Amino acid sequence: MRQRHALIIGGGIAGAMTAMSLHRAGISSTVHEAYPSGADDAGAFLVLFHNGLEALRTVDAHRAVLDVSFPAERVEMLAHTGDSVGVRPVAGGTGTTGALGPRTLRRATLHRALHDEAIRRSVSIEHGKRLVSADTAPDGRVTARFDDGSCAEGDLLIGADGLHSVTRTLIDPGAPAPRHTGQITVCGYTPEVPPEAAPPPGTYRMIQGRRAFLGCTAAPDGEVWWFANTPGGERDREELATGTPAESARWRDHVVSLFSEDASPAAEIVRGSGGIVATNAYDMARTPVWHRASMVVLGDAAHAAAPNAAQGASMAIEDSVVLAKCLRDLPGVSEAFIRFESLRRNRVEAVVERSARLNDRVVPRPAETRPRARRDDDSGSDWLLDYRIDWDAPVGDDAGARA
């Protein structure tokens, strides 16, 4: 029987992870990345929680990430007064990864680790391939066409092309566009923070200010990595720029001003920082159509959450493993896509809603427009962080991926 070949659109975290998951399932793939090199923002950082690490472990890709990240074991909440309002261990248990808490690393570092691991497994990655159209033949074969005039053929096409996905609009021209959440996320790195202001080792300190929210943690070398969720309308590329010292200082000073009237250490943490990055925050409450014929979307292309729950990368990693299982175990591409959606939609939409509610702490909305809590979100974070995928369990009538 001829081995199926997948065209993966997007060479970021979701694309590289999907290629590795398919490889383990016995399906070959080629990753088509629009940019000449990795497109992930070199300055931003992210957190992978237990569920994301366990999904990586499913395809034996977790070690590459553990080697370039650092953990935290607990979360401490501070009020704008600087008073502690509680310390708790990070939910989700230690898991079989051996991680004691979430792992923190730069987004570009995660991208590079997964990219290098995919290449080590003989995955083909082609750069400078921006998708413009795709056609499906009667036999289900897909032809993807790129803006450089080239094309590629495969048995299926997987859109891992992120928030502003071209694949999503090819599958459904009426697909909703991402919604700006009224929030700008700013992050940075402070090499020297006074001991009284620095978070304790192994701790994520979360500070609820009167005008913004800040989270921070200390890297092994003592540098404090921080992010601030700040209210603000959608900005264009020029307004978000932080490439020059003046642009970086403008955003740093803006964040400091939001915490300047608080008695918490937030302003002190931000004041001495560099490496500033500012990004718009978006989400998509629901993408009605995930697949058509031999094309499907996953990760941010299918379900974008505001960054507040810090689950975007983990959801994409989970998606890639579950999709690979469905393609491995079900006889046809269409059946696999239907099963994939049935296994994933409720979970990822619950994460989108949770992130939206956390976003409301920074940018309050009228009560009637706020998302309602889903039933599976009633028990705290266990349903989210304790999620595990059993690679060896066949996908059939059972869930195939269970908490």
Side-chain angles (χ1 to χ4, degrees):
M1 182 178 178
R2 181 178 64 84
Q3 183 184 50
R4 284 182 292 179
H5 185 77
L7 308 178
I8 300 174
I9 307 302
I13 294 166
M17 186 64 190
T18 299
M20 286 190 284
S21 299
L22 292 177
H23 180 268
R24 182 164 187 191
I27 301 169
S28 67
S29 66
T30 301
V31 177
H32 301 272
E33 167 57 49
Y35 292 89
S37 59
D40 288 279
D41 194 327
F45 68 90
L46 54 77
V47 182
L48 283 178
F49 285 92
H50 306 287
N51 55 302
L53 291 166
E54 288 294 335
L56 285 167
R57 183 189 59 80
T58 303
V59 295
D60 199 26
H62 60 294
R63 294 182 184 87
V65 175
L66 294 177
D67 289 344
V68 293
S69 60
F70 59 91
E73 303 169 24
R74 65 192 70 85
V75 175
E76 179 186 27
M77 303 298 298
L78 296 187
H80 66 84
T81 59
D83 297 320
S84 177
V85 293
V87 179
R88 60 172 174 79
V90 176
T94 58
T96 54
T97 61
L100 297 176
R103 306 292 297 200
T104 302
L105 70 169
R106 291 179 187 255
R107 178 174 290 276
T109 301
L110 177 59
H111 175 273
R112 174 54 56 188
L114 296 180
H115 184 277
D116 290 349
E117 184 65 18
I119 291 176
R120 190 183 70 80
R121 301 182 189 194
S122 301
V123 170
S124 175
I125 301 177
E126 298 185 4
H127 291 275
K129 300 295 182 180
R130 186 177 299 277
L131 182 69
V132 293
S133 65
D135 304 309
T136 304
D139 64 356
R141 296 274 292 174
V142 180
T143 300
R145 305 183 189 281
F146 305 100
D147 68 352
D148 64 356
S150 65
C151 61
E153 293 186 358
D155 297 289
L156 64 152
L157 184 148
I158 301 171
D161 44 350
L163 186 68
H164 303 289
S165 170
V166 173
T167 309
R168 183 175 64 240
T169 61
L170 294 177
I171 290 173
D172 177 15
R179 177 187 73 95
H180 191 267
T181 65
Q183 176 181 296
I184 305 293
T185 299
V186 186
C187 72
Y189 307 86
T190 309
E192 296 183 9
V193 175
E196 64 273 12
T203 301
Y204 251 96
R205 176 173 278 173
M206 304 298 190
I207 304 173
Q208 182 64 64
R210 284 180 285 196
R211 300 170 63 194
F213 179 91
L214 183 134
C216 61
T217 192
D221 63 1
E223 184 176 58
V224 174
W225 295 22
W226 61 267
F227 68 89
N229 297 330
T230 70
E234 186 174 19
R235 309 291 183 90
D236 61 27
R237 185 183 297 272
E238 289 72 24
E239 292 175 307
L240 291 171
T242 57
T244 69
E247 291 168 338
S248 183
R250 176 170 58 87
W251 277 104
R252 182 183 62 239
D253 294 346
H254 172 64
V255 176
V256 168
S257 72
L258 294 174
F259 293 101
S260 61
E261 298 177 2
D262 295 347
S264 77
E268 186 67 29
I269 289 169
V270 174
R271 189 171 286 113
S273 65
I276 305 294
V277 178
T279 57
N280 287 310
Y282 298 95
D283 70 3
M284 289 190 297
R286 180 179 173 85
T287 300
V289 182
W290 284 19
H291 54 88
R292 177 175 63 82
S294 299
M295 298 188 289
V296 68
V297 287
L298 52 66
D300 281 354
H303 46 80
N308 305 71
Q311 279 286 332
S314 293
M315 289 299 109
I317 292 167
E318 290 180 6
D319 276 359
S320 73
V321 178
V322 176
L323 177 61
K325 284 191 60 177
C326 292
L327 288 165
R328 178 196 68 187
D329 294 345
L330 296 173
V333 169
S334 178
E335 294 95 325
F337 289 171
I338 291 170
R339 189 70 177 124
F340 165 68
E341 182 177 351
S342 74
L343 288 170
R344 295 297 295 165
R345 181 180 282 280
N346 284 344
R347 175 169 172 79
V348 298
E349 289 184 356
V351 172
V352 173
E353 290 183 3
R354 166 174 281 210
S355 291
R357 290 195 300 277
L358 292 172
N359 184 80
D360 287 343
R361 297 179 183 179
V362 180
V363 188
R365 285 180 284 168
E368 62 271 15
T369 69
R370 296 175 188 169
R372 294 181 179 178
R374 287 173 172 262
R375 185 182 309 169
D376 54 3
D377 199 15
D378 291 343
S379 60
S381 60
D382 290 350
W383 67 270
L384 177 57
L385 301 182
D386 285 345
Y387 180 88
R388 300 293 182 264
I389 301 168
D390 183 350
W391 179 262
D392 296 323
V395 172
D397 294 333
D398 66 329
R402 62 178 184 271

